[in-house]
């Protein structure tokens, strides 16, 4: 609660808000991609790719991402994301690029990929949150 006569800015730090109706939305109801170790973290990787490119992931869809009948499959989004993340280092700062790659591939040097696991959460924090924060600090620091 603000004291009488005080004010605050609407947003002191930028943020991105996105609702995910279904973490594993692939166009094939009831099926999930067995290669995605953690759907929430993969979705964050997709969001980072979309921020980098300024476009939705689906706009990068090619015929190779679809089945033989031209339909989306459980692999469509991961196929697009894996392709895009391979060149992310050419367009972004190293921390951002590495964070996006870690999220898409869920590469955190462990066997457990659940955010309920304390060790995994710490590796995620060290490998994604802190590097993104460093990039944010770098981009917003005035000299």
């Amino acid at each position: 609660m603000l004291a009488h006569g005080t004010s605050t800015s609407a947003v002191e730090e930028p943020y991105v808000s996105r609702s995910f109706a279904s973490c594993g939305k692939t166009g094939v109801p009831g099926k999930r991609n067995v290669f995605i170790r953690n759907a929430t973290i993969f979705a964050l990787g997709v969001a980072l790719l979309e921020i980098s490119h300024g476009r939705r992931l689906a706009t990068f869809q090619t015929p190779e991402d679809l089945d033989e009948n031209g339909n989306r499959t459980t692999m469509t989004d991961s196929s697009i994301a894996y392709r895009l993340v391979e060149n992310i280092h050419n367009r972004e700062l190293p921390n951002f690029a590495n964070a996006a790659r870690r999220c898409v591939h869920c590469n955190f040097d462990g066997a457990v990929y659940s955010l309920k696991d304390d060790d995994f959460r710490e590796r995620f924090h060290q490998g994604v949150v802190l590097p993104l924060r460093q990039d944010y600090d770098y981009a917003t620091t005035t000299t």
Side-chain angles (χ1 to χ4, degrees):
M1 182 186 285
L2 293 174
H4 181 68
T6 62
S7 65
T8 184
S9 64
V11 178
E12 291 182 17
E13 294 186 20
Y15 66 93
V16 175
S17 175
R18 178 175 176 181
S19 298
F20 297 97
S22 171
C23 286
K25 188 175 179 184
T26 61
V28 181
K31 296 195 176 202
R32 76 178 192 94
N33 185 332
V34 295
F35 297 107
I36 296 176
R37 296 175 181 157
N38 184 305
T40 301
I41 292 174
F42 177 79
L44 174 58
V46 168
L48 292 172
L49 288 170
E50 290 176 342
I51 288 168
S52 175
H53 289 278
R55 295 172 36 195
R56 295 186 49 86
L57 189 73
T59 65
F60 293 96
Q61 183 175 292
T62 66
E64 290 78 26
D65 300 318
L66 307 173
D67 70 10
E68 62 277 355
N69 298 318
N71 298 313
R72 291 179 61 80
T73 71
T74 57
M75 295 293 296
T76 299
D77 287 341
S78 58
S79 175
I80 298 166
Y82 295 163
R83 184 176 63 251
L84 292 179
V85 84
E86 289 311 308
N87 295 314
I88 192 79
H89 64 278
N90 293 328
R91 33 181 326 112
E92 297 296 343
L93 293 170
N95 285 340
F96 186 98
N98 289 334
R101 184 174 300 211
R102 281 188 186 104
C103 289
V104 167
H105 293 291
C106 202
N107 183 8
F108 295 96
D109 300 326
V112 176
Y113 305 102
S114 171
L115 289 168
K116 294 178 181 178
D117 181 78
D118 290 339
D119 291 333
F120 179 75
R121 268 197 326 272
E122 179 59 26
R123 288 191 308 276
F124 174 78
H125 183 77
Q126 293 292 323
V128 175
V129 177
L130 289 180
L132 290 176
R133 179 62 194 216
Q134 289 171 346
D135 278 0
Y136 171 79
D137 290 344
Y138 172 77
T140 60
T141 301
T142 57
T143 327

